[in-house]
Amino acid sequence: MDIDAQLESQIAQWRGYVSGHRVISTSDVDELEEHLREQVSDLSTAGLTSSEAFLVAVGRMGSVDDISREFAREHSDRLWKQLVLVSADSYDDGRRRPSELGVVLALAVAAGLVIKAGAEWLPEQVLMRSLSVLVLPFLVAYFAWKRNMTVPGIAALAAPFVATALVLNVYPFDHGGDTEIIAAIHAPIVLWLVVGAAYAGGDWRSDRRRMDFVRFTGEWIVYMVLLALGGGALMGLTAGTFAALDIDIGWFFEAWVLPFAPVGAMVVAAWLVEAKQAVIENIAPVLTRVFTPLTILMLLALFAAFVVAFVSSQSVLDVDRDLLILMDLILVLVLGLLLYAISARDPHALPDVFDVAQMVLVVAALAVNVLMLVAMLTRIVQFGFTANKVVALGLNLVLLVNLCWAAWLGIRFIRGRCGFGAVERWQVQYLPVYGAWAALVVVAIPPLFGFV
């Protein structure tokens, strides 16, 4: 049976199931079928096979229609069989396409081999600052394969990795110096946007695809944490069991598990997000509603701590430097949470209490950001510029612009002065600014401050 015939058979099966319920009229079934076909078409364009696209589309419709939800529940096992157990699909020209699980496992092992080879052959400082260049290409390769990207498109994605590798290894960094650490931290930010371009299948200009990537990033982090916790527990139990037998296997973990497990988990986590993201509703709405109020409390506590530190010392110069670093990390977390919440929200829903809570979060973040800027500018005036101070100042200015505009649009949305689309478009259009800022830091800061 060819692909089109198989898809038509699946749609006919779904239609028969839905039509069997008397409460659904024929015209309603026709309308649902048209919507289903649109979903299948969009998902096929994104790189799914027709069978996968059908099951995913039915899963999505299940969130708005009880009958389709029941159909999706009864047939959900078929999705995992196709995503995990099917050995091969077909290309349009009739050639066999490797199974996705096989490709994922091959990329995970290849990533581990690269890190293992790097640990053996590269100096430690070169390996540490080049980790993102060595690992993230395998995520790009997975999405390039998944989206059936062309050779010119893949070459365009490879160029930033080559350029970043040259920059990181041509600059004569002082080992352990500030500029080396700064470049190593910001290189993954630049390259993660390259992963986003691969995730979008080269269609990075699409607001919808960029917002999908934001949602993917959040869920990917969640899966990474879960895999790390599960893997850590498994390693601990294994080591404890062997220790009880007076056998030391620490060398095995150090030599083989540590080089392979983290980087392999990165690829596997990406596959897991892709595999389940539309049959079951994604976890973004749940996570954002849990962590938004907790983050608000954290910001208010940090704001109070900063004020207390200032009052007790009577000078921002005496505020603990570690507190400033912690606040920077929290502000980045707030921005990520804001983007994640926007990606998870129904754009057609009216403003609610959660939208108000998000604006409280943004305003609290703005208050903390202003205090941070005052402290940083005061330190710069007193002690002069350093690489760390310039990077921190630039980060807070970028955050300030985004938070101010997010607050303005969010308040207008809550008051009914603009649609949610304006908030969503601003955030995803502003997203490349972070990559550009990080690229500027990697390229300009080391030579500006003498590679110290």
Side-chain angles (χ1 to χ4, degrees):
M1 180 183 296
D2 59 36
I3 294 176
D4 291 338
Q6 184 181 10
L7 176 60
E8 291 299 328
S9 174
Q10 290 174 315
I11 292 178
Q13 183 183 6
W14 170 85
R15 183 182 178 91
Y17 186 94
V18 175
S19 300
H21 293 72
R22 296 181 180 178
V23 294
I24 304 294
S25 66
T26 302
S27 60
D28 289 335
V29 175
D30 291 339
E31 183 178 350
L32 286 172
E33 181 180 343
E34 181 180 359
H35 181 60
L36 176 66
R37 290 182 180 275
E38 290 176 355
Q39 290 275 340
V40 170
S41 177
D42 290 343
L43 291 166
S44 297
T45 302
L48 273 66
T49 66
S50 59
S51 296
E52 293 170 357
F54 168 76
L55 292 171
V56 167
V58 169
R60 286 182 174 175
M61 290 183 65
S63 65
V64 296
D65 180 79
D66 291 337
I67 304 302
S68 288
R69 183 186 298 114
E70 184 65 28
F71 180 86
R73 185 181 300 114
E74 292 189 7
H75 293 74
S76 60
D77 61 319
R78 293 169 55 198
L79 174 71
W80 287 102
K81 289 179 181 178
Q82 289 187 1
L83 291 178
V84 180
L85 301 180
V86 174
S87 60
D89 298 312
S90 297
Y91 289 102
D92 293 338
D93 59 5
R95 293 181 292 114
R96 301 294 285 173
R97 178 182 176 90
S99 70
E100 185 166 349
L101 179 59
V103 171
V104 168
L105 292 178
L107 290 172
V109 172
L113 289 173
V114 167
I115 295 301
K116 176 66 175 175
E120 295 290 338
W121 299 335
L122 295 178
E124 182 181 357
Q125 65 269 25
V126 174
L127 176 63
M128 295 307 296
R129 67 171 177 251
S130 302
L131 278 177
S132 59
V133 178
L134 297 175
V135 174
L136 292 182
F138 294 95
L139 272 182
V140 171
Y142 166 62
F143 287 121
W145 175 86
K146 178 80 172 176
R147 308 293 189 244
N148 294 320
M149 293 188 65
T150 62
V151 173
I154 295 174
L157 294 175
F161 284 94
V162 175
T164 304
L166 289 174
V167 168
L168 291 177
N169 291 284
V170 169
Y171 282 164
F173 292 107
D174 288 343
H175 177 50
D178 290 343
T179 55
E180 182 185 35
I181 296 173
I182 289 170
I185 290 174
H186 288 81
I189 300 174
V190 180
L191 298 179
W192 189 250
L193 290 185
V194 181
V195 175
Y199 178 89
D203 188 19
W204 185 246
R205 295 183 179 181
S206 169
D207 291 346
R208 180 179 63 85
R209 296 300 293 162
R210 279 189 282 185
M211 190 56 78
D212 287 343
F213 179 64
V214 171
R215 184 163 46 248
F216 163 82
T217 300
E219 295 197 8
W220 178 81
I221 292 173
V222 172
Y223 275 95
M224 282 291 295
V225 171
L226 293 176
L227 289 173
L229 292 175
L234 182 62
M235 289 173 59
L237 289 173
T238 303
T241 302
F242 276 90
L245 299 172
D246 294 328
I247 300 175
D248 180 19
I249 61 170
W251 65 269
F252 175 77
F253 287 142
E254 182 177 352
W256 293 101
V257 176
L258 291 182
F260 281 84
V263 295
M266 292 176 62
V267 182
V268 172
W271 169 68
L272 288 174
V273 176
E274 281 284 283
K276 55 83 27 202
Q277 65 180 352
V279 177
I280 306 171
E281 284 295 317
N282 64 65
I283 59 178
V286 177
L287 292 177
T288 53
R289 279 162 174 75
V290 170
F291 284 103
T292 293
L294 295 177
T295 308
I296 291 174
L297 294 176
M298 184 187 302
L299 278 176
L300 293 177
L302 284 173
F303 183 83
F306 193 96
V307 172
V308 169
F310 172 73
V311 171
S312 61
S313 62
Q314 298 297 317
S315 172
V316 294
L317 295 176
D318 296 327
V319 174
D320 188 4
R321 180 172 175 266
D322 290 339
L323 178 60
L324 297 178
I325 295 174
L326 176 62
M327 284 188 167
D328 263 340
L329 294 176
I330 295 298
L331 289 176
V332 173
L333 172 65
V334 169
L335 184 62
L337 184 62
L338 177 63
L339 285 170
Y340 194 43
I342 290 173
S343 74
R345 192 187 188 282
D346 181 1
H348 303 292
L350 295 175
D352 56 18
V353 175
F354 184 71
D355 294 305
V356 176
Q358 281 188 301
M359 285 305 97
V360 173
L361 177 66
V362 172
V363 171
L366 270 173
V368 171
N369 199 10
V370 170
L371 288 177
M372 291 285 294
L373 284 171
V374 171
M376 289 177 186
L377 290 172
T378 303
R379 286 172 176 268
I380 289 173
V381 170
Q382 184 71 21
F383 303 112
F385 287 97
T386 65
N388 288 330
K389 290 174 186 173
V390 170
V391 171
L393 180 62
L395 171 63
N396 280 269
L397 290 175
V398 170
L399 292 174
L400 179 67
V401 173
N402 191 46
L403 290 172
C404 284
W405 195 247
W408 169 252
L409 289 176
I411 292 172
R412 282 174 56 83
F413 169 66
I414 292 173
R415 297 179 62 187
R417 301 292 181 85
C418 72
F420 181 75
V423 182
E424 187 179 45
R425 283 192 301 275
W426 159 255
Q427 293 296 340
V428 294
Q429 289 171 358
Y430 194 77
L431 195 60
V433 172
Y434 301 105
W437 170 77
L440 182 65
V441 170
V442 173
V443 174
I445 292 298
L448 185 63
F449 287 90
F451 311 100
V452 295

